[in-house]
């Protein structure tokens, strides 16, 4: 909701000024970091990062510098500048290891793994996640990013086409979450539902898949997670097309693409383009369908994914083989 977002931004900016009036730059920093990391205010993102840089430079605050590097890496990853994003995360990880900040190490590892998934480095992400969970198994999940890793680990299995493992991990994570009171627990459960929806989608169980996506959509809207809302809309589009509901499919893909462009939602974009390519093929515009899927395949998460091949890529490849 735009009015809620604007009100949140206003209150956060007021909080920054109040903390500064108390000479508490540390909390002014955390409020600024909150705005960049959780609100995804794309148009003003650079201003807030400049604020964070100023504070951390002034204080020589190593923890703050690591936080800033992790937060800013998302901006580069969202613009497909994965090498720059990884460079920043590696620096943040080095700082956190130097300080022996185990909670921060896990948080940065979670971020790095997810960005590797964006990049199509599924095996690397899976290895990093498993290694991190083993190394820091003594941490209290409810107070760390370990649950975030647990929730995301199934995505590497999913995109690699290891659907049995992806389902097993999603269900296991939901059991682990149980009645966890962490403020992100609902979102992490929704990630698991998203994985289960994608698995059942590729297995052709449309009704079950749609139920998963509708359930996780409610959660993503509660958290105003537009990246995931866009991605979920595309999956509903794939289901509608599979059911022969072409008009509905067009509507879902249009909404997803519109949102992805407006908020720079990389996952929404990568999931929408293959579906739109299928719609062009349905209309007999095979050259455009192949061209659009080729564009989508320039992104690693599509090019290296068995899941994308199963829901769209193989069908487009058959069409391409028949072109002059």
């Amino acid at each position: 909701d735009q009015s809620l977002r604007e009100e949140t931004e206003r209150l956060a900016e007021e909080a920054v000024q109040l903390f500064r009036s108390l000479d508490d730059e540390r909390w002014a920093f955390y409020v600024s970091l909150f705005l960049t990391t959780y609100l995804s205010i794309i148009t003003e993102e650079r201003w807030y990062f400049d604020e964070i840089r100023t504070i951390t430079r002034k204080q020589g605050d190593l923890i703050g510098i690591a936080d800033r590097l992790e937060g800013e890496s998302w901006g580069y990853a969202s613009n497909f500048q994965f090498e720059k994003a990884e460079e920043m995360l590696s620096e943040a990880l080095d700082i956190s290891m130097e300080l022996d900040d185990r909670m921060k190490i896990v948080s940065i590892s979670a971020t790095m793994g997810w960005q590797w998934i964006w990049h199509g480095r599924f095996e690397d992400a899976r290895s990093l996640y498993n290694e991190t969970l083993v190394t820091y198994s003594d941490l209290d999940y409810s107070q760390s990013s370990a649950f975030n890793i647990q929730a995301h680990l199934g995505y590497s299995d999913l995109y690699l086409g290891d659907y049995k493992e992806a389902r097993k991990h999603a269900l296991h994570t939901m059991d682990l979450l149980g009645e966890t009171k962490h403020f992100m627990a609902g979102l992490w459960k929704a990630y698991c539902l998203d994985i289960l929806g994608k698995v059942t989608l590729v297995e052709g169980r449309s009704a079950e898949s749609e139920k998963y996506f509708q359930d996780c959509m409610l959660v993503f809207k509660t958290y105003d997670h537009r990246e995931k809302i866009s991605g979920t809309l595309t999956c509903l589009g794939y289901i509608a097309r599979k059911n022969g509901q072409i008009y509905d499919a067009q509507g879902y893909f249009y909404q997803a693409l519109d949102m992805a462009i407006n908020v720079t939602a990389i996952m929404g974009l990568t999931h929408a383009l293959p579906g739109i390519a299928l719609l062009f093929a349905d209309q007999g515009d095979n050259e455009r369908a192949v061209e659009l899927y080729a564009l989508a395949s320039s992104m690693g998460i599509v090019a290296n994914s068995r899941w994308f091949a199963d829901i769209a890529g193989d069908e487009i490849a058959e069409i391409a083989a028949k072109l002059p």
Side-chain angles (χ1 to χ4, degrees):
D1 181 87
Q2 185 62 31
S3 62
L4 180 60
R5 180 179 289 264
E6 290 174 356
E7 177 66 5
T8 304
E9 182 180 355
R10 184 189 67 77
L11 289 171
E13 289 176 348
E14 184 177 335
V16 169
Q17 298 306 315
L18 287 171
F19 281 124
R20 284 183 175 162
S21 71
L22 297 171
D23 293 324
D24 194 336
E25 292 290 339
R26 179 67 175 168
W27 272 101
F29 160 79
Y30 276 123
V31 175
S32 296
L33 183 66
F34 165 76
L35 284 173
T36 57
T37 306
Y38 292 103
L39 289 182
S40 301
I41 305 173
I42 303 302
T43 57
E44 299 183 71
E45 191 174 69
R46 310 313 304 176
W47 182 86
Y48 288 113
F49 278 128
D50 288 344
E51 287 287 293
I52 294 170
R53 281 199 194 95
T54 300
I55 296 169
T56 51
R57 190 181 296 116
K58 178 179 176 181
Q59 293 187 319
D61 180 359
L62 290 179
I63 295 176
I65 291 171
D67 286 339
R68 185 266 298 173
L69 288 166
E70 182 184 6
E72 193 165 358
S73 73
W74 286 110
Y76 286 99
S78 295
N79 286 292
F80 306 98
Q81 296 176 274
F82 293 109
E83 290 183 3
K84 180 64 177 177
E86 184 172 350
E87 179 184 320
M88 303 185 84
L89 288 174
S90 295
E91 184 181 346
L93 198 57
D94 289 342
I95 292 172
S96 301
M97 287 180 171
E98 180 183 339
L99 298 173
D100 195 28
D101 188 337
R102 293 163 61 79
M103 300 276 275
K104 193 62 188 170
I105 291 170
V106 172
S107 173
I108 294 169
S109 298
T111 296
M112 184 175 286
W114 189 231
Q115 291 182 13
W116 281 355
I117 288 174
W118 283 8
H119 200 189
R121 296 170 57 183
F122 311 125
E123 290 281 8
D124 290 339
R126 182 160 63 181
S127 296
L128 174 64
Y129 282 161
N130 282 321
E131 180 181 340
T132 303
L133 290 173
V134 170
T135 305
Y136 300 95
S137 59
D138 57 316
L139 289 179
D140 179 1
Y141 273 22
S142 65
Q143 298 300 320
S144 75
S145 294
F147 263 139
N148 192 21
I149 291 179
Q150 283 281 2
H152 277 95
L153 187 53
Y155 282 107
S156 52
D157 294 325
L158 173 79
Y159 291 117
L160 284 167
D162 196 346
Y163 303 129
K164 182 179 179 180
E165 285 300 309
R167 176 190 287 107
K168 184 165 68 175
H169 197 87
L171 293 172
H172 173 63
T173 303
M174 291 180 73
D175 287 340
L176 287 176
L177 282 164
E179 299 300 320
T180 301
K181 301 301 182 182
H182 194 286
F183 77 104
M184 296 289 282
L187 186 61
W188 295 334
K189 289 178 183 177
Y191 291 157
C192 297
L193 292 173
D194 181 50
I195 291 169
L196 293 172
K198 287 182 168 70
V199 170
T200 49
L201 170 61
V202 82
E203 292 174 342
R205 305 203 320 256
S206 297
E208 186 178 351
S209 182
E210 184 173 6
K211 177 65 166 59
Y212 283 130
F213 289 128
Q214 294 291 2
D215 287 347
C216 64
M217 176 71 86
L218 293 174
V219 181
F220 294 147
K221 286 182 176 179
T222 299
Y223 283 87
D224 195 25
H225 195 331
R226 299 188 181 191
E227 180 89 50
K228 282 295 189 180
I229 293 172
S230 177
T232 304
L233 285 168
T234 66
C235 291
L236 290 171
Y238 286 113
I239 294 171
R241 177 185 179 266
K242 187 180 290 288
N243 292 337
Q245 301 164 332
I246 301 303
Y247 180 79
D248 289 341
Q250 291 173 340
Y252 282 128
F253 285 124
Y254 174 82
Q255 292 179 65
L257 189 60
D258 185 56
M259 181 174 289
I261 292 170
N262 286 332
V263 300
T264 319
I266 184 173
M267 290 295 278
L269 180 64
T270 54
H271 283 70
L273 291 179
I276 296 170
L278 291 174
L279 293 182
F280 280 129
D282 291 339
Q283 296 171 3
D285 195 346
N286 291 339
E287 290 186 13
R288 196 171 184 184
V290 172
E291 184 181 49
L292 190 59
Y293 195 84
L295 173 62
S297 295
S298 67
M299 294 173 275
I301 190 171
V302 177
N304 301 334
S305 171
R306 181 65 252 167
W307 184 80
F308 275 106
D310 284 340
I311 64 168
D314 289 349
E315 186 174 343
I316 296 295
E318 291 179 10
I319 293 170
K322 297 175 183 177
L323 289 175

